[in-house]
Amino acid sequence: MNLIFLAIIIGEIAFWIFLVGGLLLRYVWGLNKLSIILLASTPLIDIFLLIITFIDLSNGTKPHFFHGLSATYIGFSITYGHKTIKWADQWAAYKWASGERPEKKKLHGKEKVKYQWREFSRFFVCAVIILTLVGIAFFIVPFEDTFWLIYWVVNIIGTVIIWLVFGPVKSILNNK
């Protein structure tokens, strides 16, 4: 099994163990300090994956699909990790601590446009992180081995353009 693929699987499993464990510690067992430590430790998973990825490339491994996936995982985790933890915390508070049920707001008009731009901006930051990590890899490996790095650059830029068109631009056009 590929080292990076295995590291991504371990990282994803660790993230959910830290998240669910932290919420159980907080809401089921009342151990708030330990919960905070566990939830605050989730960025360590990204550091682990980042180190494994760049060690693998530095040791002469040709980049492949999973090196780009690793960069994507890290970018999403950095950009959306806090939001995911906050969302899960609200649901855990509702389910286990008599908190209020989180509401999904129906947005219309200018509110929807603002929301679409905010979400696009968040994804744009994510894309910049991914492209930065992939870009660093270009300096580590020989040019003839960069097919999968170029693949990820094209896909991320394409995704940014698609999100822009079908997110904010579409909501602006529908708002007129």
Side-chain angles (χ1 to χ4, degrees), residues 144-165:
E144 60 271 7
D145 295 337
T146 59
F147 171 81
W148 285 108
L149 301 178
I150 294 168
Y151 167 88
W152 279 100
V153 168
V154 169
N155 276 297
I156 296 304
I157 291 172
T159 305
V160 167
I161 293 167
I162 290 168
W163 192 312
L164 176 65
V165 170

Short mmCIF file of all heavy atoms in Angstrom, two decimals, residues 144-165:
data_model
loop_
_atom_site.label_atom_id
_atom_site.label_comp_id
_atom_site.label_asym_id
_atom_site.label_seq_id
_atom_site.Cartn_x
_atom_site.Cartn_y
_atom_site.Cartn_z
N GLU A 144 10.51 16.23 -15.07
CA GLU A 144 9.91 15.13 -15.82
C GLU A 144 8.97 14.27 -14.97
O GLU A 144 8.19 13.49 -15.49
CB GLU A 144 10.99 14.25 -16.50
CG GLU A 144 11.96 13.60 -15.55
CD GLU A 144 13.19 14.45 -15.24
OE1 GLU A 144 13.26 15.62 -15.65
OE2 GLU A 144 14.08 13.92 -14.56
N ASP A 145 9.00 14.44 -13.66
CA ASP A 145 8.14 13.67 -12.75
C ASP A 145 6.94 14.46 -12.24
O ASP A 145 6.31 14.09 -11.26
CB ASP A 145 8.95 13.17 -11.55
CG ASP A 145 10.03 12.18 -11.93
OD1 ASP A 145 9.90 11.53 -13.00
OD2 ASP A 145 11.00 12.05 -11.17
N THR A 146 6.61 15.57 -12.89
CA THR A 146 5.60 16.47 -12.34
C THR A 146 4.19 16.29 -12.92
O THR A 146 3.32 17.11 -12.64
CB THR A 146 6.02 17.94 -12.54
OG1 THR A 146 6.20 18.19 -13.93
CG2 THR A 146 7.29 18.26 -11.76
N PHE A 147 3.94 15.23 -13.66
CA PHE A 147 2.62 15.05 -14.26
C PHE A 147 1.50 15.20 -13.25
O PHE A 147 0.55 15.95 -13.46
CB PHE A 147 2.50 13.67 -14.95
CG PHE A 147 1.10 13.37 -15.38
CD1 PHE A 147 0.59 13.91 -16.56
CD2 PHE A 147 0.25 12.59 -14.60
CE1 PHE A 147 -0.72 13.67 -16.95
CE2 PHE A 147 -1.07 12.34 -14.98
CZ PHE A 147 -1.55 12.87 -16.16
N TRP A 148 1.57 14.48 -12.13
CA TRP A 148 0.48 14.51 -11.15
C TRP A 148 0.40 15.84 -10.43
O TRP A 148 -0.69 16.27 -10.02
CB TRP A 148 0.60 13.36 -10.15
CG TRP A 148 0.19 12.07 -10.78
CD1 TRP A 148 0.99 11.03 -11.14
CD2 TRP A 148 -1.14 11.70 -11.16
NE1 TRP A 148 0.24 10.04 -11.73
CE2 TRP A 148 -1.07 10.42 -11.75
CE3 TRP A 148 -2.38 12.32 -11.08
CZ2 TRP A 148 -2.19 9.75 -12.24
CZ3 TRP A 148 -3.50 11.66 -11.57
CH2 TRP A 148 -3.39 10.39 -12.14
N LEU A 149 1.50 16.54 -10.31
CA LEU A 149 1.45 17.88 -9.71
C LEU A 149 0.72 18.84 -10.66
O LEU A 149 -0.14 19.61 -10.22
CB LEU A 149 2.87 18.38 -9.43
CG LEU A 149 3.71 17.52 -8.48
CD1 LEU A 149 5.10 18.11 -8.34
CD2 LEU A 149 3.03 17.36 -7.13
N ILE A 150 1.03 18.75 -11.94
CA ILE A 150 0.33 19.58 -12.93
C ILE A 150 -1.16 19.23 -12.96
O ILE A 150 -2.02 20.11 -13.04
CB ILE A 150 0.99 19.43 -14.33
CG1 ILE A 150 2.40 19.99 -14.29
CG2 ILE A 150 0.15 20.11 -15.40
CD1 ILE A 150 3.26 19.65 -15.50
N TYR A 151 -1.45 17.94 -12.88
CA TYR A 151 -2.84 17.47 -12.83
C TYR A 151 -3.60 18.18 -11.70
O TYR A 151 -4.71 18.69 -11.90
CB TYR A 151 -2.85 15.96 -12.61
CG TYR A 151 -4.19 15.37 -12.24
CD1 TYR A 151 -5.08 14.97 -13.23
CD2 TYR A 151 -4.56 15.21 -10.91
CE1 TYR A 151 -6.32 14.43 -12.89
CE2 TYR A 151 -5.79 14.67 -10.56
CZ TYR A 151 -6.66 14.28 -11.56
OH TYR A 151 -7.88 13.76 -11.22
N TRP A 152 -3.01 18.23 -10.50
CA TRP A 152 -3.69 18.85 -9.37
C TRP A 152 -3.82 20.36 -9.55
O TRP A 152 -4.83 20.95 -9.18
CB TRP A 152 -2.98 18.50 -8.06
CG TRP A 152 -3.40 17.14 -7.60
CD1 TRP A 152 -2.70 15.97 -7.76
CD2 TRP A 152 -4.63 16.78 -6.98
NE1 TRP A 152 -3.43 14.92 -7.26
CE2 TRP A 152 -4.61 15.38 -6.78
CE3 TRP A 152 -5.74 17.50 -6.57
CZ2 TRP A 152 -5.67 14.71 -6.17
CZ3 TRP A 152 -6.79 16.83 -5.97
CH2 TRP A 152 -6.74 15.44 -5.78
N VAL A 153 -2.81 21.00 -10.12
CA VAL A 153 -2.89 22.45 -10.36
C VAL A 153 -4.07 22.75 -11.29
O VAL A 153 -4.89 23.63 -11.02
CB VAL A 153 -1.56 22.99 -10.94
CG1 VAL A 153 -1.74 24.41 -11.48
CG2 VAL A 153 -0.46 22.94 -9.90
N VAL A 154 -4.15 22.01 -12.40
CA VAL A 154 -5.24 22.21 -13.36
C VAL A 154 -6.60 21.95 -12.70
O VAL A 154 -7.55 22.73 -12.88
CB VAL A 154 -5.03 21.32 -14.61
CG1 VAL A 154 -6.27 21.32 -15.50
CG2 VAL A 154 -3.80 21.76 -15.38
N ASN A 155 -6.70 20.87 -11.93
CA ASN A 155 -7.98 20.54 -11.29
C ASN A 155 -8.40 21.57 -10.25
O ASN A 155 -9.58 21.94 -10.18
CB ASN A 155 -7.92 19.15 -10.67
CG ASN A 155 -8.22 18.10 -11.70
OD1 ASN A 155 -9.30 18.06 -12.25
ND2 ASN A 155 -7.24 17.27 -11.98
N ILE A 156 -7.47 22.04 -9.47
CA ILE A 156 -7.82 23.03 -8.43
C ILE A 156 -8.22 24.36 -9.08
O ILE A 156 -9.23 24.96 -8.69
CB ILE A 156 -6.67 23.21 -7.42
CG1 ILE A 156 -6.41 21.90 -6.66
CG2 ILE A 156 -6.95 24.35 -6.46
CD1 ILE A 156 -7.62 21.34 -5.92
N ILE A 157 -7.47 24.80 -10.06
CA ILE A 157 -7.83 26.05 -10.74
C ILE A 157 -9.19 25.89 -11.43
O ILE A 157 -10.04 26.79 -11.37
CB ILE A 157 -6.72 26.49 -11.73
CG1 ILE A 157 -5.49 26.92 -10.93
CG2 ILE A 157 -7.21 27.62 -12.64
CD1 ILE A 157 -4.25 27.19 -11.77
N GLY A 158 -9.41 24.75 -12.06
CA GLY A 158 -10.70 24.49 -12.70
C GLY A 158 -11.84 24.50 -11.70
O GLY A 158 -12.92 25.05 -11.97
N THR A 159 -11.61 23.93 -10.54
CA THR A 159 -12.64 23.90 -9.50
C THR A 159 -12.95 25.31 -8.99
O THR A 159 -14.11 25.65 -8.75
CB THR A 159 -12.21 22.99 -8.33
OG1 THR A 159 -11.91 21.69 -8.85
CG2 THR A 159 -13.29 22.89 -7.27
N VAL A 160 -11.93 26.14 -8.86
CA VAL A 160 -12.15 27.53 -8.45
C VAL A 160 -13.03 28.25 -9.46
O VAL A 160 -13.98 28.95 -9.09
CB VAL A 160 -10.79 28.28 -8.27
CG1 VAL A 160 -11.01 29.79 -8.15
CG2 VAL A 160 -10.05 27.75 -7.07
N ILE A 161 -12.74 28.06 -10.74
CA ILE A 161 -13.53 28.72 -11.79
C ILE A 161 -14.97 28.21 -11.78
O ILE A 161 -15.92 29.01 -11.84
CB ILE A 161 -12.87 28.51 -13.17
CG1 ILE A 161 -11.54 29.26 -13.22
CG2 ILE A 161 -13.81 28.97 -14.30
CD1 ILE A 161 -10.65 28.89 -14.40
N ILE A 162 -15.15 26.90 -11.67
CA ILE A 162 -16.50 26.32 -11.64
C ILE A 162 -17.27 26.83 -10.42
O ILE A 162 -18.44 27.21 -10.52
CB ILE A 162 -16.43 24.78 -11.67
CG1 ILE A 162 -15.96 24.32 -13.05
CG2 ILE A 162 -17.78 24.16 -11.32
CD1 ILE A 162 -15.57 22.86 -13.12
N TRP A 163 -16.61 26.86 -9.26
CA TRP A 163 -17.27 27.34 -8.04
C TRP A 163 -17.68 28.81 -8.20
O TRP A 163 -18.77 29.20 -7.80
CB TRP A 163 -16.35 27.18 -6.84
CG TRP A 163 -17.02 27.37 -5.50
CD1 TRP A 163 -17.85 28.39 -5.12
CD2 TRP A 163 -16.91 26.51 -4.37
NE1 TRP A 163 -18.25 28.22 -3.82
CE2 TRP A 163 -17.69 27.07 -3.34
CE3 TRP A 163 -16.22 25.34 -4.13
CZ2 TRP A 163 -17.79 26.50 -2.08
CZ3 TRP A 163 -16.32 24.78 -2.87
CH2 TRP A 163 -17.11 25.34 -1.86
N LEU A 164 -16.79 29.60 -8.78
CA LEU A 164 -17.09 31.01 -8.99
C LEU A 164 -18.34 31.18 -9.87
O LEU A 164 -19.25 31.93 -9.53
CB LEU A 164 -15.90 31.72 -9.64
CG LEU A 164 -16.12 33.19 -10.03
CD1 LEU A 164 -16.34 34.05 -8.79
CD2 LEU A 164 -14.92 33.69 -10.83
N VAL A 165 -18.39 30.43 -10.96
CA VAL A 165 -19.51 30.55 -11.90
C VAL A 165 -20.82 30.04 -11.29
O VAL A 165 -21.85 30.70 -11.37
CB VAL A 165 -19.19 29.80 -13.22
CG1 VAL A 165 -20.43 29.70 -14.11
CG2 VAL A 165 -18.05 30.49 -13.95
#
